[in-house]
Amino acid sequence: MISLSACQLQNHQLRPTGDLGVIIERATGSVQVVNTTQQEPLAKVDKLGDLSHASVVFSRDQRYAYVFARDGGLTKVDLLQDKIDHRIIQSGNSIGGAISQNGKWIAVSNYTPGGIKIFSSDTLELAADITATPLNTSTEKKAIYSKVVGLVDAPGNRFVFSLFDTNEIWVADYINQDNNKKWEIQKFTNIGKQPYDALITPSGRYYIAGLFGESGFALLDLWHLEKGVQRILPNYNNNKQTLPVYKMPHLEGWAVAGRYAFVPAVGQHSILVIDTDSWQQVATIPVHGQPVFAVARPDGRQVWVNFAYPNNDTIQVINTENYHIIHQFKPGPAVLHMSFTPKGEQLWLSVRDNNEVQVYDPATFKKSTTFPANSPSGIFFTSRAHQIGL
Amino acid sequence: MISLSACQLQNHQLRPTGDLGVIIERATGSVQVVNTTQQEPLAKVDKLGDLSHASVVFSRDQRYAYVFARDGGLTKVDLLQDKIDHRIIQSGNSIGGAISQNGKWIAVSNYTPGGIKIFSSDTLELAADITATPLNTSTEKKAIYSKVVGLVDAPGNRFVFSLFDTNEIWVADYINQDNNKKWEIQKFTNIGKQPYDALITPSGRYYIAGLFGESGFALLDLWHLEKGVQRILPNYNNNKQTLPVYKMPHLEGWAVAGRYAFVPAVGQHSILVIDTDSWQQVATIPVHGQPVFAVARPDGRQVWVNFAYPNNDTIQVINTENYHIIHQFKPGPAVLHMSFTPKGEQLWLSVRDNNEVQVYDPATFKKSTTFPANSPSGIFFTSRAHQIGL
């Protein structure tokens, strides 16, 4: 017990996990573990592989961060000991992942080979390998499968994802009847050309895929799969001069504020406002450039927007009641990501080409602190452990 | 470092806080610290005073639980060391509390003396003592002040609360201009007879007080205080035979599912369904008894309801799409409280007179486990640290 009370004095040993976060350092393949109460980095964990376009989910106890790397690496990082707990290379090229509602499964969406793999969140042992639809257009001997994008978790321990090359949405459901356990796949085809990303609404009811090959979105009501996929906003991009797309907007960055969703338009300098009851577009908000992320403050009163090159040095803040731009500023070159703390009193953003992270008070727009990070991109707080679809 | 690595083996020393909870044991003035992943109790902390009608909020890092006792006790419990960190007796009779958006302030609402007190969440030092309106009806020498109820935190580090005896709603706002710091109070009068409890909608925009002295509710839009308090559902209880009220329904137990709120009606065997856009009642759902709590599964697809004596042995589950009762069962005598885990895969409930806590899978309604507790009442999970108004 002496050593026990000795370590009770070790602050490191008594670290709660409610105010932690992970910041991706893409250039160095490392992450910083940060604390939002002190607004400072706590530690660095490296050797995580190619972290361009990396994303993170958290275990339900908030102890572990699962880092999905572009090179197919899946790393389980221990936030209490600032070290890698377990790491595997699960594919050649992956694009994101999800954790099941009960916290038992980690799913990863892959480009090559196209499909998803499901792992035990505890051991990272492979639990299921779900291959996507093969491409008929393949000329190689080796079969090529559709790339998988827009993977999210849904209530009922389901995973939902989109097949970019074959225009499908699949729902994977874990069936455990009479100890006969298997992942059952329900497939929706012809959902629209080239779903490139997707999101699930905060309640976990609606899955929405953005279409790159045509105008509009594909909508699936997860409460009523029998209704199939419906198309929404089919014409929002028609008769408009679409600009060259430098960076695809992230749908995970859809801002759902009250009953309205604020959606980055592909190839336009605008944010679309959609009524999530009728799924009709109710407004178009002109903005500074091609939006990448639209992020709602947790109380839904503000939406913060960042932009693709050459406007990626700028942030605009939209008032969700009257759609006015109430604030605009330039944090620095290449603002890649923004995250609010769960109660919305802080906004963190990464400025890649300044190699720094900045923290703001969204009530006053004042910067409260800045600290260095190597080419920071994604910012992920542990409160995501408690949110469906994140 | 030897003792450090020694304690890294101590599981107790490496406890994350994301899947913890606190269960009130009212008969013994103690709480159980529980874990929702293992679905078991971890520890007991006692000497917390009179825990009848006790409630709990959590620090933003989820390390500390602040327990508000009926006898005016305010206790800061360390969930990493299973012990009392700090404890004060701050009044003679208190009825609940809140923590500010930034986590720096703890507010407690008091009956005697009527008002709220605000403390540093770190040290529990008194930061402000806000006395309620004195009662003109007082016949004693010593002034008596209105009881304060329905205290919640709101975005902008505000506290909102209701004055039962003087029919008021007050908003306390922390002003810090040129280092001249003070709590500024905005008062709304004649809001309706005897507000007995209140809630804030999940976004933190609307504060709603239930009225005991008349039919209806008082609604305050915290985005537009200039609009003042408006009355909603003024007639829901008119021309109805109101039954004797054995237990006031808890408005904190309002279930907001999508754009609809499911509200326990006072003195009726019914749940009211309110459209939170128009604030009109759209339906009345007949239920088994006088509802006490209506709790929405986090995905909004189910609302679970418990009841006042003599029906407090029963739970009903409502389908929020068609308002059907899809499940009814009797967990045991005196079901006092229900809580969902943040992603909704578990429902915990306390059965006081069986001295046990039961855990259910809301997808199948199957009971997954039961464990003993002394007269358990309130169940509070650490995920509340990340939610406005909880």
Side-chain angles (χ1 to χ4, degrees):
Chain A
M1 290 312 294
I2 286 154
S3 79
L4 182 64
S5 34
C7 14
Q8 286 179 343
L9 304 174
Q10 296 279 4
N11 199 24
H12 175 84
Q13 288 310 102
L14 288 172
R15 179 188 294 175
T17 53
D19 58 350
L20 301 183
V22 166
I23 295 175
I24 303 294
E25 297 183 310
R26 50 193 292 160
T28 50
S30 53
V31 297
Q32 283 196 24
V33 179
V34 298
N35 174 296
T36 64
T37 303
Q38 280 75 46
Q39 299 187 357
E40 65 188 14
L42 298 175
K44 185 181 291 235
V45 179
D46 58 9
K47 301 190 171 56
L48 302 181
D50 174 5
L51 297 190
S52 57
H53 207 290
S55 63
V56 175
V57 299
F58 295 93
S59 59
R60 73 189 299 286
D61 63 4
Q62 297 179 332
R63 174 170 180 171
Y64 299 103
Y66 298 88
V67 181
F68 305 99
R70 193 58 193 266
D71 58 10
L74 168 58
T75 310
K76 183 181 181 183
V77 175
D78 184 344
L79 301 180
L80 290 184
Q81 301 190 81
D82 303 323
K83 67 179 190 184
I84 292 176
D85 178 80
H86 204 65
R87 171 170 168 81
I88 60 174
I89 300 296
Q90 59 81 42
S91 84
N93 184 343
S94 67
I95 194 63
I99 184 165
S100 61
Q101 180 184 29
N102 62 10
K104 290 180 179 169
W105 310 107
I106 301 290
V108 189
S109 58
N110 291 316
Y111 279 3
T112 54
I116 74 165
K117 288 182 177 174
I118 300 173
F119 301 89
S120 156
S121 62
D122 182 21
T123 62
L124 298 191
E125 278 169 48
L126 185 67
D129 185 348
I130 297 165
T131 306
T133 303
L135 304 186
N136 309 327
T137 59
S138 167
T139 56
E140 306 171 45
K141 292 204 182 70
K142 187 154 167 289
I144 296 178
Y145 301 93
S146 174
K147 292 191 281 295
V148 170
V149 298
L151 170 66
V152 300
D153 68 292
N157 297 311
R158 293 180 291 179
F159 292 113
V160 188
F161 49 99
S162 298
L163 282 59
F164 177 83
D165 303 292
T166 53
N167 309 329
E168 296 172 83
I169 293 172
W170 288 10
V171 178
D173 200 346
Y174 185 70
I175 306 298
N176 181 1
Q177 272 175 338
D178 321 322
N179 284 336
N180 173 17
K181 303 170 186 166
K182 61 172 195 282
W183 287 89
E184 207 166 69
I185 309 296
Q186 190 160 352
K187 302 177 180 180
F188 299 87
T189 57
N190 301 314
I191 60 104
K193 291 205 186 84
Q194 296 179 313
Y196 69 91
D197 194 9
L199 69 88
I200 189 165
T201 49
S203 72
R205 176 169 181 174
Y206 297 103
Y207 179 81
I208 299 148
L211 302 176
F212 187 59
E214 62 186 277
S215 180
F217 300 87
L219 173 73
L220 181 60
D221 180 349
L222 297 171
W223 290 13
H224 295 289
L225 293 177
E226 73 282 358
K227 291 183 185 168
V229 172
Q230 58 172 296
R231 305 286 283 281
I232 58 174
L233 279 65
N235 307 315
Y236 86 85
N237 235 348
N238 293 354
N239 316 320
K240 294 205 185 71
Q241 191 197 348
T242 305
L243 305 162
V245 176
Y246 293 103
K247 174 101 176 90
M248 292 303 292
H250 279 265
L251 292 194
E252 202 242 287
W254 270 39
V256 178
R259 77 185 251 192
Y260 298 100
F262 294 74
V263 181
V266 175
Q268 295 179 27
H269 288 192
S270 57
I271 295 284
L272 314 175
V273 184
I274 302 174
D275 182 333
T276 62
D277 279 355
S278 65
W279 294 108
Q280 299 296 311
Q281 181 180 352
V282 295
T284 302
I285 305 173
V287 289
H288 178 68
Q290 288 189 31
V292 176
F293 283 103
V295 181
R297 199 170 73 175
D299 68 352
R301 197 169 191 181
Q302 296 177 353
V303 169
W304 291 49
V305 183
N306 71 334
F307 302 97
Y309 178 88
N311 302 110
N312 58 357
D313 61 344
T314 301
I315 295 282
Q316 285 185 317
V317 181
I318 297 169
N319 174 326
T320 58
E321 277 190 291
N322 57 21
Y323 307 154
H324 295 163
I325 305 292
I326 54 173
H327 187 59
Q328 175 170 340
F329 66 110
K330 294 183 182 292
V335 178
L336 293 197
H337 200 230
M338 303 167 285
S339 286
F340 283 95
T341 49
K343 281 182 150 187
E345 79 281 15
Q346 298 174 31
L347 181 284
W348 290 46
L349 57 81
S350 51
V351 188
R352 185 192 61 199
D353 296 350
N354 271 4
N355 292 299
E356 67 182 20
V357 171
Q358 302 175 359
V359 183
Y360 291 84
D361 176 350
T364 62
F365 303 120
K366 285 189 188 141
K367 194 196 303 183
S368 53
T369 191
T370 297
F371 59 84
N374 291 325
S375 303
S377 56
I379 300 171
F380 303 91
F381 295 130
T382 51
S383 51
R384 287 175 171 247
H386 298 147
Q387 295 175 278
I388 284 285
L390 300 183
Chain B
M1 291 312 293
I2 286 155
S3 80
L4 184 63
S5 34
C7 25
Q8 283 178 344
L9 302 174
Q10 297 277 4
N11 199 23
H12 176 85
Q13 288 312 100
L14 289 172
R15 179 187 293 176
T17 53
D19 59 350
L20 301 183
V22 165
I23 295 175
I24 302 295
E25 296 183 311
R26 49 193 291 161
T28 50
S30 54
V31 298
Q32 284 196 25
V33 179
V34 298
N35 174 296
T36 64
T37 303
Q38 280 76 46
Q39 299 187 358
E40 64 187 15
L42 298 176
K44 186 180 291 236
V45 178
D46 58 11
K47 301 191 170 60
L48 302 182
D50 174 4
L51 297 190
S52 58
H53 207 289
S55 64
V56 175
V57 299
F58 296 94
S59 60
R60 72 188 300 287
D61 63 5
Q62 297 179 335
R63 175 171 180 171
Y64 298 103
Y66 299 88
V67 181
F68 306 99
R70 193 59 196 265
D71 57 10
L74 168 59
T75 311
K76 183 180 181 182
V77 176
D78 184 344
L79 300 180
L80 290 184
Q81 300 190 84
D82 304 323
K83 67 178 192 184
I84 292 175
D85 178 81
H86 205 64
R87 171 168 167 81
I88 61 174
I89 301 295
Q90 59 82 40
S91 84
N93 184 342
S94 68
I95 195 63
I99 184 165
S100 62
Q101 179 184 30
N102 62 10
K104 291 181 179 170
W105 310 106
I106 302 290
V108 189
S109 58
N110 291 316
Y111 279 3
T112 51
I116 73 165
K117 288 181 178 175
I118 299 174
F119 301 90
S120 155
S121 62
D122 181 19
T123 63
L124 298 192
E125 279 171 47
L126 185 66
D129 185 348
I130 298 166
T131 305
T133 303
L135 303 186
N136 308 328
T137 59
S138 168
T139 56
E140 306 170 41
K141 292 203 182 71
K142 187 155 168 289
I144 295 177
Y145 302 93
S146 173
K147 291 192 283 294
V148 170
V149 298
L151 170 65
V152 302
D153 69 290
N157 297 310
R158 293 180 292 178
F159 292 112
V160 188
F161 50 97
S162 297
L163 281 60
F164 177 84
D165 304 290
T166 53
N167 309 328
E168 297 173 80
I169 294 174
W170 289 10
V171 178
D173 200 345
Y174 185 70
I175 306 298
N176 181 0
Q177 271 174 339
D178 322 322
N179 285 334
N180 174 17
K181 304 169 186 168
K182 61 170 192 282
W183 287 88
E184 207 166 69
I185 309 296
Q186 189 160 355
K187 303 177 181 181
F188 299 87
T189 56
N190 302 313
I191 60 101
K193 290 204 186 85
Q194 297 179 312
Y196 68 91
D197 194 9
L199 68 85
I200 188 165
T201 49
S203 71
R205 175 169 182 174
Y206 296 103
Y207 179 82
I208 300 150
L211 301 176
F212 188 59
E214 61 184 277
S215 180
F217 300 88
L219 173 72
L220 180 60
D221 180 350
L222 296 172
W223 290 13
H224 295 289
L225 294 178
E226 72 281 0
K227 291 183 185 168
V229 172
Q230 59 172 295
R231 305 286 283 280
I232 58 173
L233 279 66
N235 307 316
Y236 87 87
N237 236 350
N238 294 355
N239 317 319
K240 294 204 185 70
Q241 192 197 349
T242 305
L243 304 162
V245 175
Y246 292 103
K247 173 99 175 88
M248 291 304 291
H250 279 266
L251 292 194
E252 201 239 285
W254 270 38
V256 178
R259 77 185 253 191
Y260 298 100
F262 294 74
V263 180
V266 175
Q268 295 178 27
H269 288 191
S270 57
I271 295 285
L272 314 175
V273 183
I274 303 175
D275 181 333
T276 62
D277 279 355
S278 66
W279 295 107
Q280 299 297 311
Q281 182 180 352
V282 295
T284 302
I285 305 172
V287 290
H288 178 68
Q290 290 188 29
V292 176
F293 283 102
V295 181
R297 201 171 70 175
D299 69 351
R301 198 169 190 181
Q302 296 177 353
V303 167
W304 291 49
V305 183
N306 72 335
F307 303 98
Y309 178 87
N311 302 111
N312 59 357
D313 62 344
T314 301
I315 294 282
Q316 286 185 316
V317 180
I318 298 169
N319 175 325
T320 58
E321 278 190 291
N322 56 22
Y323 307 155
H324 295 162
I325 305 292
I326 55 173
H327 188 59
Q328 175 169 341
F329 66 109
K330 294 184 182 294
V335 178
L336 292 197
H337 200 228
M338 304 166 285
S339 286
F340 283 95
T341 48
K343 281 182 152 189
E345 79 281 14
Q346 298 174 30
L347 180 284
W348 290 45
L349 57 82
S350 51
V351 188
R352 186 192 61 198
D353 296 349
N354 271 2
N355 292 298
E356 67 182 18
V357 171
Q358 302 175 1
V359 182
Y360 291 83
D361 176 350
T364 62
F365 302 121
K366 285 185 189 146
K367 194 195 302 182
S368 54
T369 191
T370 298
F371 59 84
N374 292 325
S375 303
S377 56
I379 300 172
F380 304 91
F381 296 130
T382 51
S383 52
R384 288 175 170 245
H386 298 146
Q387 295 174 279
I388 283 284
L390 299 182

